[in-house]
Amino acid sequence: MNIPLVDLHEQYISIKKEIDRAMSDVINQTAFIGGPFHKSFEKSFADFCGVQFCVGVGNGTDALYIALRAMGIGPGDEVITSANSFIATSEAIRMAGADVVFIDIDPGTYNIDTAKIEEKITKRTKAIIPVHLYGQPADMDPILSIAKKYNLKILEDAAQAHGAEYRGQKIGSIGDAACFSFYPGKNLGAYGDGGAIVSNDSTFAETARMISNHGRIDKYDHKFEGINSRLDGIQAAILDVKLKYLPEWTELRRKNASLYNRLLKGIPLRSPEEIPDIKAVYHLYVIRVSEKREELQKYLKSNGVSTGIHYPIALPNLKAYDYLKKNDNDFNEATKASKEILSLPMYAELTENQISYITDKIKMFFS
């Protein structure tokens, strides 16, 4: 049996007629940049997130950069974020000209350790970017409290958390703004790059849209210098089709995660944890193996099971951040997790037989 980490083709086959028709409609109307399909998806996704405004952009990294810039964050400012994420999170902070301040993670959820945020706040701190990693919502209540106390902006990095909920509230509607990625492998993925910024702040949304479109207020009337980062019509049309199925796909992911949890009981590894009163969407199903991770990964590969490591190097430990001159014990939990985490196959189309096969192989390895 061969089981990929993600199976995008299987998903496409299940909605092929609708996807093909949507792409054909865009081509027939030559609505490649802007236009009705772009507007339709922005409205649909804003409604889905429970917010008033959505700005479609070129990718998730640009979404973070544009949002930070629209918040007025730039050189001389500091932005706090998690030590465990994809580099796009910290990269966007630096792109905006601000300094990144990493916080270690909670070892259970792999999200930012909220108890360690306040000690890193300085007069230069302007924002916090909590990352809802693997589709597991960060603990937002303490973050909201800290932000209010110090008058900080909250920008949710929801690149892996489409449809997740925190205490009854959709991820993307909790902070001042939120950013999503529509990279093909995401829970809501395009057939190329794409991203979005969502917010309830009309002034912020208008500024973000202008930044993403050359700073223009009319075709050749530019209020300031922006960038060129727009969600194209074909991707928007594809996403609009897929969005209708996302709630169903989310429940299938959660069902698969629950089956994994049940079948992996009694094995010397750690399954994902959910904090109380949240709804995780399992962009990734990440286990933790205290020893022999590489051996387990090789064993699964030899038996046709693809796996991944998200992420093998904690952000502060990357060469890109050598200039921070961190101490060896500054990010103990993120560093330790990077050596133990392993992502198992996870997608809505994954079958019970496939999960049983994967967990049986893991049991055989540890036996």
Side-chain angles (χ1 to χ4, degrees):
M1 187 178 291
N2 288 303
I3 306 173
L5 187 63
V6 179
D7 192 339
L8 300 180
H9 184 260
E10 191 69 26
Q11 183 191 76
Y12 166 64
I13 293 301
S14 71
I15 53 174
K16 183 180 186 301
K17 288 183 179 179
E18 290 178 80
I19 291 290
D20 291 353
R21 186 185 309 116
M23 290 191 291
S24 178
D25 287 346
V26 175
I27 294 168
N28 286 332
Q29 296 185 39
T30 63
F32 303 120
I33 301 295
F37 302 97
H38 184 109
K39 289 180 181 178
S40 175
F41 173 69
E42 286 187 336
K43 175 65 167 58
S44 298
F45 195 63
D47 290 345
F48 176 80
C49 293
V51 298
Q52 296 183 59
F53 307 104
C54 171
V55 180
V57 297
N59 55 71
T61 309
D62 282 356
L64 289 164
Y65 163 72
I66 292 165
L68 287 167
R69 188 171 159 185
M71 288 176 171
I73 293 169
D77 297 332
E78 290 179 345
V79 178
I80 286 172
T81 195
S82 173
N84 186 30
S85 182
F86 182 58
I87 194 173
T89 311
S90 50
E91 186 177 49
I93 295 170
R94 297 286 289 160
M95 286 165 61
D99 293 324
V100 60
V101 178
F102 291 115
I103 304 292
D104 207 0
I105 63 168
D106 178 286
T109 65
Y110 310 113
N111 284 323
I112 192 168
D113 186 341
T114 58
K116 295 180 179 179
I117 293 175
E118 201 162 0
E119 65 190 50
K120 293 290 187 77
I121 294 173
T122 72
K123 291 181 179 179
R124 296 200 293 130
T125 308
K126 293 296 187 295
I128 303 171
I129 301 182
V131 182
H132 305 299
L133 199 68
Y134 310 146
Q136 307 277 353
D139 194 1
M140 292 301 295
D141 280 350
I143 296 172
L144 289 166
S145 179
I146 292 168
K148 183 177 180 181
K149 180 178 178 180
Y150 292 95
N151 192 29
L152 305 177
K153 296 289 187 182
I154 297 177
L155 177 60
E156 299 176 70
D157 184 340
Q160 301 181 6
H162 314 70
E165 296 179 14
Y166 178 83
R167 298 183 176 171
Q169 194 168 356
K170 278 283 183 70
I171 290 301
S173 66
I174 301 171
D176 295 283
C179 295
F180 291 85
S181 167
F182 302 127
Y183 182 78
K186 303 298 187 187
N187 291 32
L188 180 63
Y191 288 173
D193 275 320
I197 305 163
V198 299
S199 179
N200 282 312
D201 185 329
S202 59
T203 302
F204 165 84
E206 182 181 7
T207 302
R209 189 177 299 283
M210 290 172 65
I211 293 170
S212 72
N213 193 24
H214 300 290
R216 74 175 88 196
I217 52 179
D218 204 352
K219 188 169 184 178
Y220 295 114
D221 189 359
H222 304 264
K223 190 173 182 180
F224 50 77
E225 292 178 332
I227 64 171
N228 179 16
S229 181
R230 298 169 298 200
L231 181 66
D232 71 68
I234 287 180
Q235 303 305 340
I238 290 167
L239 291 166
D240 220 6
V241 170
K242 284 188 164 191
L243 184 58
K244 296 182 297 184
Y245 295 94
L246 185 56
E248 175 188 345
W249 291 340
T250 295
E251 291 309 311
L252 289 170
R253 284 176 178 267
R254 287 181 56 78
K255 181 181 177 181
N256 288 340
S258 179
L259 180 58
Y260 265 129
N261 290 344
R262 179 165 61 83
L263 295 179
L264 289 173
K265 279 184 179 179
I267 301 176
L269 54 77
R270 190 172 182 173
S271 297
E273 297 179 15
E274 292 188 17
I275 60 176
D277 202 18
I278 67 103
K279 181 179 180 180
V281 295
Y282 293 95
H283 170 60
L284 296 169
Y285 184 87
V286 179
I287 61 171
R288 189 161 179 166
V289 184
S290 59
E291 58 183 28
K292 296 186 177 180
R293 179 186 65 180
E294 282 70 26
E295 290 91 332
L296 172 59
Q297 193 171 25
K298 290 177 182 177
Y299 178 79
L300 289 173
K301 183 178 180 180
S302 69
N303 284 279
V305 179
S306 296
T307 59
I309 300 175
H310 302 87
Y311 298 92
I313 306 174
L315 286 177
N317 299 335
L318 291 169
K319 286 182 169 50
Y321 299 105
D322 280 350
Y323 69 90
L324 292 176
K325 301 187 186 312
K326 69 174 182 66
N327 294 320
D328 289 340
N329 60 351
D330 281 347
F331 306 99
N332 283 336
E333 295 298 343
T335 300
K336 186 177 180 182
S338 69
K339 298 175 182 177
E340 298 179 352
I341 52 178
L342 184 66
S343 302
L344 300 181
M346 171 55 76
Y347 41 96
E349 297 78 18
L350 198 63
T351 67
E352 185 172 336
N353 284 340
Q354 288 174 316
I355 293 174
S356 295
Y357 177 83
I358 294 165
T359 54
D360 283 346
K361 293 304 177 185
I362 293 173
K363 289 174 185 176
M364 290 175 65
F365 174 82
F366 281 107
S367 66

